[in-house]
Amino acid sequence: MRHVLSSSQFDRQFLDYLYQLTTTIRRFDKSREGIVYLRSLLPHKRAMLYFTQPSTRTFLSFQSACHILGITASEIRDAATSSERKGESVEDSLRTFSSYVDLIIMRSPIAGLCDRVATLLDATPRPVPIVNAGSGPDEHPTQALLDIYTLTRSLRLRGGIDGKTICMVGDLKRGRTVRSLSRLLTNYEDVKIIFASPENFRIEDDLRRALTRAGTRFEETDEFLPAIASADAIYMTRIQDEYDVGGESATDYTRFHLKASHLTSLKEDCVIMHPLPRRDELDPEIDKDPRAKYWRQERNGMWVRVAVLTMLFDVDSRVQLPDL
Ligand code: CP
């Protein structure tokens, strides 16, 4: 693995390996010796967290993942504090970071920027890996990795993800987590995806084509209740109003809100997920229900990201010790 740019780059073999690695890393974290060992893996590496779009959990989980592995992490969280303010191009800024660090983890409102920067840096004498931590409404591949890890663990007593129905709800047009997760689900057998949204938030054609090409069954509906009632897992998302150009978010979305009163309509073992942050679409009352997995999901994100970093720096084979 050279860069992490899109969830399309991963196959089932990679996913199975990554999740076994993630679970092993979590075992290391259970003892002082294990924690010290993990920290000894990459103390000679430096990472830049370049986040020019707001973030809480992706930023902090990547920063924590760096700390867990001994990586020194520096950050820019606002382009206005960098020389971009003086007219430097974002490409020149990122090339500058590559002079100082061994890895760039970046979130940007610009779709496709990560790919452009990766290509640019690959042609320089110092081609550092790029990790896409969210690229506009386009992709959020490491979120999809942690979502699948959470699904895999939550469904492990029911045969895993294969054969399951996953219902995604919300702003499916501009929600990058939905786009990346849908692509990653094509690696599983006989999965069905139900996309439930208002008409103007339906998925884009490129995702329809990708799912059709992969042979993954999907349907689109604006009937919320039947969709959630038939699902083995529900993936709620918020309206992405930061991408509004003409008041799209004025749409009444309330009939797509998951409320505590809906819980009796769901399958007994339905997995309830949300990439967070949430607004009104997911009732906090649901947090108490054992089917709610979103807090676990965000913590899983840190461990999956630790595993990704070990693979990027080729030290994953050093976290295969069976016992500590
Ligand atoms: N899920 C997610 O990307 O959250 P943040 O925006 O807080 O990073």
Side-chain angles (χ1 to χ4, degrees):
M1 187 164 57
R2 169 103 197 91
H3 304 285
V4 177
L5 300 174
S6 162
S7 60
S8 316
Q9 75 190 75
F10 305 121
D11 61 18
R12 181 72 180 263
Q13 191 184 5
F14 171 90
L15 295 172
D16 289 347
Y17 175 73
L18 179 75
Y19 298 149
Q20 172 266 320
L21 180 64
T22 302
T23 301
T24 306
I25 286 168
R26 294 173 63 168
R27 286 178 55 209
F28 273 70
D29 185 63
K30 292 195 186 313
S31 70
R32 189 177 190 284
E33 293 82 355
I35 291 168
V36 170
Y37 179 74
L38 288 175
R39 207 175 299 146
S40 75
L41 288 174
L42 293 166
H44 53 302
K45 296 293 182 187
R46 295 182 296 277
M48 165 61 85
L49 294 154
Y50 175 73
F51 275 57
T52 55
Q53 239 188 349
S55 169
T56 297
R57 63 220 89 234
T58 310
F59 179 86
L60 279 172
S61 63
F62 263 122
Q63 187 186 51
S64 302
C66 286
H67 294 165
I68 286 167
L69 292 168
I71 300 170
T72 305
S74 45
E75 65 186 66
I76 286 185
R77 300 208 64 177
D78 183 349
T81 65
S82 81
S83 282
E84 282 178 63
R85 187 64 184 261
K86 294 184 272 183
E88 185 168 56
S89 69
V90 66
E91 287 86 355
D92 279 2
S93 283
L94 283 150
R95 180 161 182 178
T96 300
F97 303 154
S98 75
S99 301
Y100 307 130
V101 298
D102 306 293
L103 167 71
I104 297 171
I105 302 165
M106 56 183 283
R107 167 170 290 193
S108 154
I110 306 168
L113 179 64
C114 295
D115 305 67
R116 226 165 56 227
V117 170
T119 306
L120 174 81
L121 293 187
D122 279 347
T124 69
R126 214 181 135 66
V128 305
I130 299 290
V131 175
N132 179 355
S135 48
D138 181 30
E139 279 256 19
H140 195 349
T142 62
Q143 176 73 43
L145 291 173
L146 75 91
D147 291 340
I148 294 278
Y149 180 68
T150 304
L151 274 173
T152 302
R153 287 177 70 80
S154 303
L155 295 169
R156 68 185 179 282
L157 300 178
R158 296 164 58 201
I161 297 174
D162 296 323
K164 300 299 187 297
T165 297
I166 317 293
C167 177
M168 304 202 195
V169 185
D171 186 346
L172 310 176
K173 186 183 178 70
R174 305 175 295 180
R176 59 191 173 201
T177 64
V178 165
R179 290 170 57 77
S180 291
L181 176 57
S182 299
R183 288 174 189 275
L184 215 48
L185 282 169
T186 63
N187 289 291
Y188 293 82
E189 299 296 326
D190 196 28
V191 162
K192 178 179 168 191
I193 307 176
I194 303 175
F195 294 110
S197 72
E199 180 73 29
N200 57 334
F201 291 141
R202 288 193 168 197
I203 59 170
E204 293 279 17
D205 271 342
D206 66 329
L207 182 55
R208 280 190 198 103
R209 282 195 298 272
L211 294 172
T212 304
R213 220 174 20 246
T216 300
R217 287 181 298 147
F218 68 96
E219 65 182 52
E220 298 174 65
T221 181
D222 61 359
E223 297 287 331
F224 180 64
L225 284 175
I228 58 172
S230 66
D232 297 297
I234 299 171
Y235 191 86
M236 296 297 298
T237 65
R238 70 174 172 88
I239 297 296
Q240 308 284 313
D241 50 8
E242 60 267 49
Y243 301 115
D244 272 12
V245 284
E248 295 89 329
S249 301
T251 303
D252 180 14
Y253 179 58
T254 48
R255 70 192 174 88
F256 293 88
H257 288 186
L258 189 65
K259 303 186 186 101
S261 58
H262 289 128
L263 289 172
T264 51
S265 310
L266 306 186
K267 287 189 179 178
E268 249 174 45
D269 43 12
C270 180
V271 180
I272 304 171
M273 295 173 65
H274 193 308
L276 303 177
R278 68 175 156 193
R279 291 183 189 157
D280 298 340
E281 70 281 351
L282 180 60
D283 186 346
E285 273 296 302
I286 294 174
D287 295 5
K288 297 193 285 262
D289 191 286
R291 292 170 289 185
K293 304 294 183 199
Y294 31 90
W295 297 113
R296 191 172 300 180
Q297 181 185 352
E298 76 171 11
R299 184 158 169 81
N300 285 342
M302 180 177 74
W303 296 116
V304 169
R305 287 169 174 136
V306 172
V308 166
L309 295 181
T310 66
M311 291 183 76
L312 278 170
F313 286 121
D314 212 12
V315 293
D316 48 302
S317 61
R318 293 176 55 196
V319 264
Q320 300 298 329
L321 299 176
D323 292 303
L324 267 173

